Amino acid sequence: MTVRFVGAGPGAADLLTLRAAALLGEADVVLYPGTYLDEAVLSHCRDTARLVDTQGLDLDTIVDHLVAADGAGEDVVRLVSGDPSLYSAVAEQGRRLDEAGVGWEVVPGVPSYAAAAALVGRELTVPLVAQSVVLTRAQARSTAMPERESLARFAATGATLVLHLAVTRTREVMATIEPEHGADCPVVVVFRASQPGELVLRGTVGDIADAVEGAGLRQAAVILVGRALDPRAGGPDGMGESWLYSADRDRA
């Protein structure tokens, strides 16, 4: 048997991949993160599937469930929010499964930051404005960030910043970003993108903390920061438009 780590997407039941939906429909056991997932996602599971909410479980207990189910010959899906390549603890769980001799594989999903950007209709990479995206997080009650990955260093690049697990420290984060990006730099905060109760807050580096604190956001939010979020980014004169699609480019 094989344990499958499946990206559940940003939370909407119809933003899973076809492969993810099919695996859920076949699984005997499904472990899911109830904190971040709309329960409608579980509608893809069959009625007889055993569902385990992992929000109150530690990593070893989660792995014990995976190993036991695999040992019983059951098909197991471990749902993770967004895409497994980001902040999913697949590395730790995979190591433990390897030690237990349990096979596993990863099925990608729609990242939460992609759903947030789609919700506000913005591309995160705009020619001559920002051609890089930094995916990072803030440190609160979590594993320490490497010193070389400080937010100030990332901000200095001018890249679009995508901040996970940072909404409770929005004011502090914006104070770190402001010297490089400026107080007027656009910011979008999206809470539970694609799920019932989703909320979009638009503002700037200088004022977004007030909006976040006013809304009482504590988790399940993504923060997007950068000049690319400005609808006018790139300008109407074509100087900030893609050379790939330019009428002046030689296509011979």
Side-chain angles (χ1 to χ4, degrees):
M1 307 302 292
T2 299
V3 172
R4 293 179 172 88
F5 294 93
V6 176
D14 60 351
L15 278 179
L16 273 73
T17 65
L18 293 174
R19 184 179 300 180
L23 289 173
L24 284 176
E26 299 167 357
D28 301 302
V29 182
V30 176
L31 284 75
Y32 68 97
T35 304
Y36 296 101
L37 211 63
D38 179 19
E39 287 195 3
V41 170
L42 302 177
S43 65
H44 294 283
C45 302
R46 59 186 183 181
D47 293 340
T48 56
R50 186 166 77 254
L51 306 179
V52 180
D53 186 350
T54 61
Q55 64 178 312
L57 306 182
D58 62 36
L59 197 65
D60 288 331
T61 303
I62 292 170
V63 173
D64 287 345
H65 278 284
L66 298 177
V67 172
D70 181 79
E74 296 174 310
D75 287 324
V76 191
V77 165
R78 167 58 167 139
L79 280 175
V80 300
S81 59
D83 179 78
S85 65
L86 290 176
Y87 309 118
S88 65
V90 164
E92 298 107 296
Q93 293 169 84
R95 282 196 297 269
R96 286 165 170 77
L97 291 177
D98 288 341
E99 292 168 0
V102 175
W104 56 279
E105 65 182 27
V106 177
V107 177
V110 177
S112 57
Y113 76 86
L119 188 59
V120 297
R122 299 309 306 153
E123 183 180 357
L124 302 182
T125 54
V126 175
L128 302 182
V129 177
Q131 287 290 279
S132 301
V133 178
V134 174
L135 308 174
T136 188
R137 65 170 175 84
Q139 182 186 346
R141 294 177 298 172
S142 57
T143 306
M145 290 288 290
E147 289 185 13
R148 65 184 179 277
E149 295 183 24
S150 72
L151 184 56
R153 287 189 177 186
F154 288 140
T157 67
T160 303
L161 303 176
V162 175
L163 298 163
H164 295 81
L165 309 173
V167 73
T168 60
R169 300 185 63 188
T170 301
R171 190 170 297 279
E172 178 183 343
V173 164
M174 293 304 140
T176 301
I177 292 172
E178 183 173 342
E180 297 293 343
H181 282 253
D184 64 335
C185 182
V187 179
V188 174
V189 177
V190 181
F191 170 74
R192 294 196 181 279
S194 82
Q195 299 186 39
E198 72 182 6
L199 175 66
V200 178
L201 301 177
R202 292 177 172 86
T204 66
V205 166
D207 64 21
I208 195 66
D210 291 335
V212 168
E213 292 167 6
L217 300 186
R218 304 294 301 170
Q219 62 181 9
V222 177
I223 303 174
L224 310 177
V225 184
R227 300 288 172 182
L229 298 172
D230 186 339
R232 301 163 298 178
D237 57 6
M239 294 302 293
E241 295 186 351
S242 174
W243 176 246
L244 178 65
Y245 300 109
S246 172
D248 296 327
R249 188 170 70 86
D250 184 4
R251 288 175 169 75

